[in-house]
Structures are given as C-alpha cells and as structure tokens.
Amino acid sequence: MSRWKPDARGRLARAAMELYGEHGFEQTTVAEIAARAGLTERTFFRHFADKREVLFEGAAALEARLVDGVVAAPADAAPIEVVAAALRSIAPIFAERRPFARQRQAIVAANPELRERELIKLAALAAAVTAALHERGVDEPQASLAAEAGIAVFRIGFDRWVAACDDGAELGEVMDELFGSLSALVAAGVAPRKARR
Amino acid sequence: MSRWKPDARGRLARAAMELYGEHGFEQTTVAEIAARAGLTERTFFRHFADKREVLFEGAAALEARLVDGVVAAPADAAPIEVVAAALRSIAPIFAERRPFARQRQAIVAANPELRERELIKLAALAAAVTAALHERGVDEPQASLAAEAGIAVFRIGFDRWVAACDDGAELGEVMDELFGSLSALVAAGVAPRKARR
C-alpha cells in the first residue's frame, strides 16, 4: 500500500493504533500520529475530534445496528431471543476485524480513562436496547433485565472471542454459547417467577 | 440536633447532600458545604478527599460486604444462588437509608461525571464478585456471567426500590423477584447448554 494513497482517515487510524500499542495511548501525541501517517495535524482533526475517537468511532453505528436488530426480530420472539438475535446481527461487523479488535482491546485495557469510556459505551448500548424493547411492548423489569443480560453476554463474549488463540469460534457462536450457559446457570439456581403486569 | 454536636463528618455530609440537591453537584463549592455545616474547608478536607467522596464513601465497604457474602454462602450453592445470597446480605445496609439513597440517586442521575463514577463502581463490584467466585472454584464463563447478572439485578433492583412510592418492598425482596424474572425470561428464550470444562 503506497504512502500516498488518498485514504487519509484509514492511514491516520492505523498510525494511531500502532503508536498507542507501541508507546501507550497517554504518551502518544496527535503530532506523532500525523507524522507517522505522513499527514498534518490539521488533517487529523478534520477526521477525528481527538485521540480517543480513533478507538470509539464505531460506537454510534454499533448502537444503531443493534437497535435495528431488536426492531427486525420476529414479532413473536421472547425478549431474550430478541436480544440474542440483535447481538447475532452485529457479530458479522467484527468478523474481519479480529486483529484490530485484539489490538484495540489491549490499548483500552491499559488505560483507565479508556476503560471508563468503554463502560459508558456499553451502558449506552444497554439503554438503547432497553428503549427498543419498550418500543416492542416489553414491560419493565423484563426489558432492562434482558438488555443488561445481553450486554453482559456481549462484553464477556467479545473478551473471549478476542482472546481466543485459535481464531476458531465466531463471535456469534461464542455469544450463543454464553446465552446457553446463562440459561443453565439461572436454571440451576433460581426458580422462575411469573412476570407481574 | 445542636449545631455544635461534634459529628463533623455527618454534618458535612448532610450539608453537602442538601446543597447538591438544591443547586446541583457541579455548582456547589466546598466552601459552601463547610459554611452550611458551620465548619471550615480544612475540616471538610480532613474528612473527604473531594466533593465526590461524599457520594461514594460507602463503595469500598459495600464491595467488602458483598465479597464476604460470596465467601459465606453455603458450599453446595449454585453460582447464581451464591450471588443472590451475597446481594441479600447487603440489602439490610440500605434498609434505614431509603431517603438518603433516593436523594443520592437523584444527584447522581443529574450529573454525567457522577453517572460515570457510578458505572465504574458497579463494574468494580462485578469484578470483585467474579474474583470471589473464582476463589470458590467457579470456572469461566460461569463466574463472570453470574456476577454480571447479579450486578444487573442489583442496579435495576436498587433503582426500583428507590423509586417505589409506597416504601413497601424491601431491597432484598425486590432483588429476589428480579432473579425470578430473569430466570423466567431466560427460560422462555434460550435452551440451557451444558457448561464446558
């Protein structure tokens, strides 16, 4: 890939990821990112609001896709099935990106500010799924519980998928297996209670 | 209660909560808190590191109690039962404090920085419960799933308990009911899968 290829945004993102990995997020400056990409700081700020956005630019699109998945689930699906289907629908976004996801995960894990930002992102996803379930007519506390359980499965599943050495199971499969484990766990420990209306 | 009662810490905390409620967390200064409590700023900083600590001082004790609850659960309890028992064991801490909890919840909800801090507190609780389950010999992903599900129940349950108009159900009952709802939700939507070892 030539240095002068006009994909400025992609070059800046790749340069940033490299530098965050090499020197840490905190220690990397926008000037260094721009220099490594062979571009100017002004160009960086035309594409990204700040250093952090390189790592979180996909969050809004992810949330939108997840909500679309909730909306698109079959009308007769149980709430937890709706959430599982929505999560399955976003898994392909990550399929080609395991190396990037792995690199990103390590950068986020190494920095408290980024870990906090990641928590906020996940809380926003849970809130968006909860709201989309309300739209489908799911009551409380079922909507919040299903959304929170789903986002926990996503978080734990993503960690496991990224960490897997063999690049074997796809994210969707990992999450489906976790839903199954959650079901077994809950069945082993708590008697179901009829929802109050 | 006399103004000169020597409970400086309690007076400062009450003054802070009043002012956060009246003017907002952001707009309140330590000087105002000290003045309302009839004490000096120096005294405030002898008791609290900053304005935020008034709202989060109980976090470390809560985490310790929750971990104690995990350790103390019967040896043969299923992981989700362990988590439910640990949550039940912390519920009495809040029993006498619903008005304070309600006031605190409103202050936290109104401020993005405090909402983030609350997310971090909850993530730390989930991590502590996960680690305590590992100590009991619970494998992954069961430990993470049980801990995350439990903290979701705690968060949703706490919100419902605080918001309840009639001051009826106790927090422990609210959480038990949520575990039952979670069980029903999961049973309605996902087939249990045997844990892999």
Side-chain angles (χ1 to χ4, degrees), chain A residues 78-81 84 116 119-120 123 138 140-146 148-149 152-153 155-156 160 173 176-196, chain B residues 78-81 84 116 119-120 123 138 140-146 148-149 152-153 155-156 160 173 176-196:
Chain A
I80 201 91
E81 280 177 319
E116 293 177 15
L119 287 175
I120 294 160
V138 179
E140 283 301 320
Q142 282 74 21
S144 291
L145 282 168
E148 294 276 355
V153 162
R155 197 190 64 65
I156 297 168
R160 294 172 77 81
E173 295 164 32
D176 276 348
E177 187 166 348
L178 285 172
F179 273 113
S181 299
L182 177 65
S183 177
L185 261 177
V186 171
V190 199
R193 190 175 299 217
K194 267 245 156 80
R196 278 197 198 163
Chain B
I80 201 90
E81 280 178 319
E116 294 179 12
L119 287 175
I120 294 161
V138 179
E140 282 303 321
Q142 283 74 22
S144 291
L145 283 168
E148 295 277 355
V153 162
R155 196 190 66 64
I156 297 167
R160 293 172 78 82
E173 295 164 30
D176 276 348
E177 188 166 347
L178 286 171
F179 273 113
S181 299
L182 177 66
S183 178
L185 262 177
V186 171
V190 199
R193 190 175 297 218
K194 267 246 156 75
R196 278 198 198 161

Side-chain angles (χ1 to χ4, degrees), chain B residues 2-185:
Chain B
S2 150
R3 187 182 167 116
W4 307 107
K5 198 162 172 272
D7 175 24
R9 187 180 178 92
R11 278 158 60 199
L12 287 162
R14 282 188 295 275
M17 295 297 287
E18 284 172 22
L19 288 162
Y20 298 165
E22 290 165 20
H23 308 306
F25 173 79
E26 197 61 54
Q27 285 70 43
T28 300
T29 65
V30 169
E32 287 163 350
I33 297 167
R36 171 137 341 167
L39 294 163
T40 64
E41 284 189 64
R42 263 188 74 183
T43 304
F44 180 91
F45 287 116
R46 265 205 296 274
H47 289 282
F48 298 102
D50 54 32
K51 278 198 305 180
R52 214 171 58 173
E53 207 198 317
V54 177
L55 297 160
F56 290 93
E57 56 170 341
L62 184 67
E63 185 176 311
R65 285 277 298 259
L66 194 56
V67 167
D68 286 349
V70 171
V71 172
D76 60 350
I80 201 90
E81 280 178 319
V82 171
V83 174
L87 287 170
R88 224 175 283 125
S89 77
I90 63 167
I93 301 177
F94 302 101
E96 307 285 302
R97 307 180 74 201
R98 189 157 3 194
F100 170 85
R102 191 172 282 151
Q103 202 180 0
R104 179 185 179 282
Q105 200 87 334
I107 293 163
V108 170
N111 183 283
E113 178 201 332
L114 297 175
R115 287 201 302 272
E116 294 179 12
R117 183 67 191 74
E118 188 77 355
L119 287 175
I120 294 161
K121 184 182 94 175
L122 291 170
L125 288 179
V129 170
T130 303
L133 288 170
H134 291 163
E135 287 288 316
R136 288 181 64 105
V138 179
D139 290 331
E140 282 303 321
Q142 283 74 22
S144 291
L145 283 168
E148 295 277 355
I151 295 305
V153 162
F154 175 60
R155 196 190 66 64
I156 297 167
F158 202 86
D159 282 359
R160 293 172 78 82
W161 175 73
V162 160
C165 305
D166 55 2
D167 284 12
E170 279 311 320
L171 177 57
E173 295 164 30
V174 176
M175 290 193 295
D176 276 348
E177 188 166 347
L178 286 171
F179 273 113
S181 299
L182 177 66
S183 178
L185 262 177

Side-chain angles (χ1 to χ4, degrees), chain A residues 75-153:
Chain A
D76 60 350
I80 201 91
E81 280 177 319
V82 171
V83 174
L87 287 169
R88 222 174 286 124
S89 78
I90 62 167
I93 302 177
F94 302 102
E96 308 284 302
R97 305 180 75 201
R98 187 153 9 191
F100 171 84
R102 191 172 282 151
Q103 202 181 359
R104 179 185 180 282
Q105 199 87 332
I107 293 163
V108 170
N111 184 283
E113 178 201 333
L114 297 175
R115 286 201 303 272
E116 293 177 15
R117 184 68 192 73
E118 188 78 356
L119 287 175
I120 294 160
K121 185 182 91 176
L122 292 169
L125 289 179
V129 170
T130 303
L133 287 170
H134 291 163
E135 286 291 314
R136 288 181 65 104
V138 179
D139 290 330
E140 283 301 320
Q142 282 74 21
S144 291
L145 282 168
E148 294 276 355
I151 295 305
V153 162

Side-chain angles (χ1 to χ4, degrees), chain A residues 38-67:
Chain A
L39 294 162
T40 64
E41 284 187 65
R42 263 189 73 180
T43 304
F44 179 92
F45 288 115
R46 263 203 298 274
H47 290 281
F48 299 101
D50 54 31
K51 278 198 305 180
R52 216 169 59 170
E53 207 197 317
V54 177
L55 296 161
F56 290 93
E57 58 171 338
L62 184 67
E63 185 175 312
R65 286 277 298 259
L66 195 56
V67 168

